[in-house]
Amino acid sequence: MMKKYNIHKESFNQITIKRMKTLRFIGVALLAVLMSVSFSACGGDDDDNSSNPLVGTWVGLAGESGWTSNHKIIFNSNGTGSWNQWSDKSSFTDPFNYTCTETVITIDFGDGYPEQWRYSISGNVLNMGKGEKMFKLTKQ
């Protein structure tokens, strides 16, 4: 009788070990699935424009040294943009790259001299300033 009990105990241990291995495999598989879902869920946040209130088209008038010009500044969600300025005397469009914090926009026109502008947004109005230059632009 004692021998049967030992065989039965060995079989029981083998079955228990198999079940534990199976449960561990299922646990690891579930963990892998959960991790892949959580990584893919974070991927879409880069395209969310709500986190960057600058994204969009801003238009307005600005005057400097006795003349006034129209401005249209476009901030894209990928960190690029364009600055369009025109008056009855001239016009130009400059593409740029930008980065921003909560209060400062750094605009790089590619000339080796990035410009830092203080800014604030209230509703659909963007106020930008650099030195004595001040722009009040409205979001289109």
Side-chain angles (χ1 to χ4, degrees):
M1 281 277 209
M2 193 65 139
K3 206 170 199 182
K4 281 187 177 181
Y5 178 71
N6 287 337
I7 292 173
H8 179 66
K9 186 175 182 182
E10 289 177 33
S11 297
F12 180 76
N13 286 340
Q14 288 174 350
I15 291 171
T16 303
I17 290 171
K18 276 187 172 181
R19 284 185 185 168
M20 288 175 63
K21 285 182 180 180
T22 302
L23 288 174
R24 184 172 50 183
F25 175 77
I26 291 171
V28 169
L30 284 173
L31 183 61
V33 169
L34 288 173
M35 288 178 65
S36 66
V37 168
S38 64
F39 285 131
S40 65
C42 293
D45 293 345
D46 296 339
D47 298 328
D48 185 10
N49 294 342
S50 64
S51 64
N52 185 352
L54 283 171
V55 172
T57 302
W58 301 86
V59 294
L61 291 172
E64 185 178 355
S65 302
W67 58 274
T68 303
S69 61
N70 297 291
H71 293 265
K72 179 166 124 179
I73 304 173
I74 301 170
F75 293 99
N76 300 314
S77 62
N78 65 356
T80 64
S82 65
W83 193 312
N84 307 298
Q85 180 179 342
W86 68 96
S87 68
D88 54 347
K89 297 180 182 179
S90 66
S91 67
F92 69 86
T93 300
D94 277 333
F96 60 82
N97 293 314
Y98 76 94
T99 58
C100 62
T101 65
E102 290 182 18
T103 58
V104 176
I105 308 167
T106 302
I107 297 178
D108 186 355
F109 292 102
D111 59 0
Y113 302 99
E115 301 178 4
Q116 292 193 332
W117 292 76
R118 294 177 324 280
Y119 80 97
S120 65
I121 297 175
S122 177
N124 66 341
V125 175
L126 168 64
N127 292 297
M128 291 176 52
K130 181 182 89 164
E132 302 222 354
K133 292 181 183 178
M134 291 300 297
F135 293 95
K136 183 174 184 176
L137 305 165
T138 305
K139 193 167 195 175
Q140 280 190 328

